[in-house]
Amino acid sequence: MKRGKVVVVTGASGGVGRATARAFAERGARVALLARGREGLAAAADEVQQAGGEALVVSVDMADSKAVDDAAQKVVDAFGHIDVWVNNAFSGVFARFTEITPDEFRRVTEVTYLGYVFGTRAALHHMLPRDRGTVVQVGSALAYRGIPLQSAYCGAKHAIQGFNESLRCELLHTRSGVRTTMVQLPGVNTPQFDWVLNRMPGRARPVAPVYQPEVAARAIVHAAFHARRREYWVGGSTVATLIANAVAPGALDRYLARTNVEAQQEEGEHGGPGNLWVPADGPHGRDFGAHGRFDEEAVSSSPQDWLSRNRGRMLVAAAAGGLGAAVTAGLRRRG
């Protein structure tokens, strides 16, 4: 990546957004950090600068379309333009559907789905006149496959998937130089499981296997600069889930019903009231960083992700290997 690319990361105060901001900074980017909180944003800005990038902090609620437009304008005023916009901010409620209030469901949808819509609109407003730029939608295996206890979040991720596909077709139709792509993530070791509003008896946790946020960040950075692909799948569990859902969705329904309520809980005290309405790192909060409490079990690499990012090279190597084998066999026959 050329030094000085201008990158906007939403949800940058913690988790995947925090790791992604740092990963772009390591490549010399100028990174605009968007989130609601204060402590996490300040710490993220320090990390960006320490990694060799330039940071701009913009406090914004992604559910407020006018505020998002203003945030984008602040980035352009400071850095001149926007090269990459990464939509990542979200909120969630960890509960059975019947125990989620209409206001809570609406709030999750506004932040997690409409926040992506508003972020994308703001990005395109500045990218389309230049006829270049990339929007990366950070998705999830749950964009294809709903699981119990996360109906609001799954619904929002499904909506993002459909929205992004429609937008991508429109950009292709007009032969625009602006790209959009989506990165589907597995369970990640982030602080979100202590942030979500939780009405279950156990403490929220991701379904194993759990990946470190740096795995997600590497995929997002790669996608930003290889955006001709419509989407990237990160982690073997994501691939297995999406293939199983395509082949036998009914059987997967029954499997998830039997296993995933327990698989998303563990013993322990709840982390607090959640960050649905107030950021966990607000004036009376603290910085949570990129990692959650699952460092002991989280893995720092994904062979599947490496293969996905390097599939072009692998295909060339496979083709070359096949050609070499054919030539060798032919020579043997002639000999």
Side-chain angles (χ1 to χ4, degrees):
M1 185 183 77
K2 294 180 180 179
R3 185 173 182 83
K5 288 286 187 180
V6 178
V7 180
V8 177
V9 181
T10 76
S13 59
V16 170
R18 179 79 161 262
T20 299
R22 189 167 58 236
F24 276 112
E26 290 170 352
R27 291 157 177 79
R30 292 173 284 172
V31 186
L33 306 160
L34 275 58
R36 292 179 299 163
R38 297 181 183 179
E39 301 300 324
L41 280 177
D46 288 342
E47 289 182 357
V48 165
Q49 292 164 353
Q50 291 169 10
E54 184 178 348
L56 174 68
V57 169
V58 184
S59 181
V60 62
D61 185 337
M62 294 302 297
D64 184 338
S65 61
K66 177 62 166 60
V68 174
D69 288 342
D70 291 344
Q73 189 60 55
K74 288 179 182 178
V75 176
V76 172
D77 290 343
F79 292 146
H81 59 273
I82 298 171
D83 294 305
V84 177
W85 184 292
V86 179
N87 280 314
N88 170 71
F90 76 95
S91 62
V93 177
F94 190 75
R96 300 181 191 279
F97 169 68
T98 53
E99 296 174 358
I100 304 173
T101 70
D103 284 344
E104 290 165 351
F105 210 102
R106 181 181 298 109
R107 175 64 177 168
V108 172
T109 303
E110 288 174 347
V111 174
T112 310
Y113 170 51
L114 291 181
Y116 277 47
V117 172
F118 299 154
T120 301
R121 285 179 61 87
L124 293 181
H125 176 74
H126 296 282
M127 291 178 178
L128 290 175
R130 299 176 67 230
D131 197 33
R132 55 178 157 162
T134 299
V135 179
V136 180
Q137 319 286 15
V138 178
S140 166
L142 307 189
Y144 286 94
R145 174 66 251 181
I147 62 174
L149 306 185
Q150 297 197 52
S151 57
Y153 179 81
C154 290
K157 287 298 184 182
H158 275 65
I160 293 165
Q161 180 73 22
F163 154 68
N164 187 65
E165 289 173 348
S166 178
L167 171 62
R168 185 171 187 271
C169 291
E170 292 176 7
L171 293 173
L172 289 170
H173 174 74
T174 58
R175 302 183 184 275
S176 175
V178 178
R179 307 291 180 188
T180 182
T181 187
M182 197 161 178
V183 180
Q184 313 293 15
L185 300 184
V188 183
N189 174 30
T190 74
Q192 74 177 77
F193 299 96
D194 291 322
W195 286 350
V196 293
L197 177 59
N198 184 3
R199 292 206 172 94
M200 298 304 294
R203 197 175 186 186
R205 61 152 293 134
V207 177
V210 182
Y211 295 83
Q212 294 289 25
E214 288 76 18
V215 175
R218 286 194 294 270
I220 292 166
V221 171
H222 180 83
F225 297 99
H226 300 81
R228 287 185 178 275
R229 275 180 60 178
R230 70 192 305 272
E231 66 179 23
Y232 291 82
W233 295 359
V234 181
S237 57
T238 298
V239 174
T241 299
L242 299 189
I243 291 176
N245 189 61
V247 174
L252 190 56
D253 287 344
R254 289 185 285 275
Y255 171 79
L256 294 174
R258 186 172 65 253
T259 64
N260 261 228
V261 171
E262 291 76 13
Q264 294 182 82
Q265 299 180 72
E266 63 183 18
E267 293 184 0
E269 296 292 328
H270 290 184
N275 70 337
L276 191 60
W277 307 105
V278 179
D281 63 332
H284 304 293
R286 64 177 177 86
D287 173 35
F288 287 83
H291 287 213
R293 64 180 192 273
F294 308 99
D295 276 331
E296 291 187 2
E297 66 175 283
V299 296
S300 300
S301 63
S302 167
Q304 176 279 329
D305 175 50
W306 186 91
L307 289 171
S308 177
R309 287 185 283 112
N310 292 276
R311 72 176 187 178
R313 252 183 281 176
M314 297 299 293
L315 289 172
V316 170
L323 178 60
V327 171
T328 300
L331 291 173
R332 286 175 178 170
R333 285 195 298 272
R334 292 180 66 180

